[in-house]
Amino acid sequence: MAKTITWEELLASLETAKTHPRDTAWAIYWYLKDHFQECGSQQTRMLLATYIKIPVERPSLLHSCMLQLALKISEQYDDFNLLNFIRIWGFHLFLRPEDKEIQTTADGRMFMSLQDRTERVVVDYLNRHPEHCPLKREPELPMIIPPVIGYVNSYDAKNDFFHIFDSGSRHFVAKSPKVIPLIGDYVWFTPIIPANSRFKSAVIIKQEDHIAGREVFGTLDAEIISIDNKKHTFQYRITDSLPHADGGVMSQEGYAPIKLLHSDQKRTPQEGDKVSMVVFLVRGSDGIKYNHVAEAFFNS
């Protein structure tokens, strides 16, 4: 049941925190819930830090309520370090079973689980603060993994989405990134993969030099087995071992536009030419993933 706590009542409760820790922790929650928008970042962060130090039961309803409140606070105050709070809160340890489930109200409305909401807010937070992307795996944040290299394949202007693929053909979406890439760029990004969703997000950290990015991403050696000048395509056969691909199987043979090879104006593609290609799977309109050649160039 909601309570209204005054500042004087909160101070009185803080004085008895050692003898009544649970009551004080709830008092901090009720006060912040009503006043975090006007009491300022410093006082809000001080009260959150005080709550963290109070020995209360975890996991618990109160602990989950404080995480929900912290998500709102992170959107109000840009200097609140949300990732630090989540680590200290114990995201990996203290989610209750119900925090991982979609919530349904008595009238049938459905709401995102606390776990999924936390992961979504983390995406928004890291888009605003790419410098806070962890450089190593954080056990308290299992949905965040170290930065990887990706290829920027396309841009959806309507939704402000950049579509990024990694070398394992995983498809990520970077929405309104702080670091703006170009189509065809290689970028370092932090993949964020919600536990209960297929929707994968990317937080772009920085753009990489094209040649260096391509080397990290990896190429496959192939041979041109035919050329169709009417369709402006060439048929290839991959001579390397096929890599693992997310959600499908890469084909040994396929077709690619001849224009991909036009960067080398000194050569005209011929049957038997050896080429290297950047290849990953892209889902077609039929729902099946097919080879997509993003780059192709002649082997020396």
Side-chain angles (χ1 to χ4, degrees), residues 84-276:
N84 278 345
F85 180 85
I86 291 175
R87 292 187 189 100
I88 298 170
W89 186 93
F91 187 80
H92 184 60
L93 298 173
F94 299 133
L95 284 173
R96 302 172 301 159
E98 53 265 50
D99 293 333
K100 302 176 183 180
E101 300 172 354
I102 295 174
Q103 301 299 306
T104 306
T105 63
D107 59 1
R109 290 182 297 167
M110 300 179 70
F111 291 90
M112 188 181 301
S113 70
L114 176 58
Q115 181 180 38
D116 285 344
R117 170 159 167 69
T118 301
E119 292 172 350
R120 176 171 290 187
V121 173
V122 165
V123 172
D124 293 336
Y125 177 85
L126 288 176
N127 272 326
R128 300 196 309 272
H129 301 283
E131 69 279 6
H132 289 176
C133 289
L135 298 178
K136 61 181 180 178
R137 189 173 183 84
E138 300 288 352
E140 292 83 4
L141 296 170
M143 69 286 192
I144 299 178
I145 62 177
V148 298
I149 200 76
Y151 179 85
V152 182
N153 191 55
S154 61
Y155 174 65
D156 179 347
K158 179 180 179 181
N159 297 299
D160 197 18
F161 285 166
F162 286 91
H163 294 276
I164 300 172
F165 289 82
D166 71 3
S167 58
S169 296
R170 294 186 303 173
H171 177 199
F172 296 85
V173 172
K175 179 175 173 57
S176 306
K178 189 173 182 179
V179 177
I180 308 297
L182 298 174
I183 306 303
D185 274 354
Y186 291 93
V187 295
W188 287 101
F189 72 97
T190 293
I192 300 179
I193 308 172
N196 300 317
S197 172
R198 296 178 60 189
F199 185 81
K200 301 179 181 70
S201 298
V203 176
I204 300 174
I205 301 172
K206 66 174 184 177
Q207 293 163 281
E208 182 56 275
D209 171 78
H210 193 87
I211 300 300
R214 186 168 65 192
E215 289 178 357
V216 176
F217 190 95
T219 60
L220 296 175
D221 288 338
E223 179 182 6
I224 295 178
I225 57 179
S226 69
I227 294 175
D228 189 330
N229 288 312
K230 290 183 178 180
K231 294 183 178 179
H232 305 287
T233 61
F234 66 90
Q235 185 180 9
Y236 61 82
R237 179 186 298 113
I238 296 174
T239 55
D240 271 335
S241 297
L242 297 179
H244 170 77
D246 181 63
V249 178
M250 192 170 290
S251 300
Q252 199 83 42
E253 297 184 4
Y255 294 87
I258 292 176
K259 65 181 180 181
L260 291 179
L261 294 167
H262 285 175
S263 59
D264 189 343
Q265 299 294 332
K266 298 179 182 180
R267 296 183 60 174
T268 300
Q270 304 290 333
E271 292 183 12
D273 278 343
K274 303 297 190 294
V275 297
S276 291

